Amino acid sequence: LITELLTPFSRGIYRPRGPIDKYMGDCIMAFWGAPLPEPGHARNAILAGIEMQQTLRALEPHFKARGWPEIHVGIGINSGRVGFDNMGSEVRLPYPVMGDAVTLASRLKGLPRQYGVGIIVGPQTREAVPDFAYRELDRVRVKGKDEPVAIYEPVGLAGEGSVPAP
């Protein structure tokens, strides 16, 4: 089940130039804009999230026919400055992203089910992609932050009210 889910999700991340940092159980951590700057990184992350949600809907009949459980996927997207460097050992040389922006994205990932949505973006992502329309869901206190953070659901292209195809 995990392989049949993560394979098309991974392709959906790679398509808009998103490197995968790691798989953590049934979770994928991906990033855009490192090691080289990418002007459309936030938009590409949202498009990958939309594609993942569409892929999940397309897989549901197949999973149901196999007797597999219904899957809910929560996607958290945040933008900001991150550290990107070799954090491995002499045996394995991973280049993960880390920092406050990554931590907030991780916290956002756990919130979609609570709000009945598939994707939640942070305020910096919303500001970086003004051609999308967003619905403000709440202001939440997340672990590690003193001030509440506004969270948003991308609902489509601004003025069109529909989600664009990735």
Side-chain angles (χ1 to χ4, degrees), residues 81-106:
R81 294 187 57 83
V82 299
F84 177 81
D85 203 354
N86 172 17
M87 293 298 293
S89 66
E90 293 177 2
V91 178
R92 185 169 180 265
L93 301 172
Y95 282 83
V97 291
M98 63 200 105
D100 193 48
V102 176
T103 302
L104 180 54
S106 175

Side-chain angles (χ1 to χ4, degrees), residues 87-159:
M87 293 298 293
S89 66
E90 293 177 2
V91 178
R92 185 169 180 265
L93 301 172
Y95 282 83
V97 291
M98 63 200 105
D100 193 48
V102 176
T103 302
L104 180 54
S106 175
R107 304 287 188 254
L108 297 179
K109 172 190 71 66
L111 296 176
R113 181 178 272 192
Q114 188 176 327
Y115 290 91
V117 300
I119 303 171
I120 290 181
V121 303
Q124 288 181 297
T125 301
R126 180 180 182 262
E127 291 172 19
V129 190
D131 61 324
F132 270 82
Y134 300 88
R135 178 171 65 114
E136 184 170 347
L137 299 170
D138 205 349
R139 296 184 72 74
V140 298
R141 280 197 195 275
V142 294
K143 184 178 174 185
K145 292 279 187 191
D146 293 332
E147 297 296 318
V149 176
I151 58 172
Y152 305 90
E153 175 193 20
V155 294
L157 290 173

Side-chain angles (χ1 to χ4, degrees), residues 12-13 16-18 32 38-49 77 129:
I13 290 168
R17 298 185 302 275
W32 283 258
E38 182 183 333
H41 67 277
R43 188 174 209 283
N44 286 341
I46 292 173
L47 291 174
I77 301 172
V129 190

Side-chain angles (χ1 to χ4, degrees), residues 28-96:
I28 302 173
M29 176 158 168
F31 59 90
W32 283 258
L36 301 174
E38 182 183 333
H41 67 277
R43 188 174 209 283
N44 286 341
I46 292 173
L47 291 174
I50 291 167
E51 182 170 340
M52 290 168 73
Q53 293 293 319
Q54 292 170 342
T55 297
L56 180 61
R57 284 192 294 279
L59 288 171
E60 284 173 350
H62 168 69
F63 285 5
K64 186 174 184 175
R66 295 190 70 174
W68 290 348
E70 186 175 346
I71 305 291
H72 299 278
V73 174
I75 299 170
I77 301 172
N78 191 49
S79 301
R81 294 187 57 83
V82 299
F84 177 81
D85 203 354
N86 172 17
M87 293 298 293
S89 66
E90 293 177 2
V91 178
R92 185 169 180 265
L93 301 172
Y95 282 83

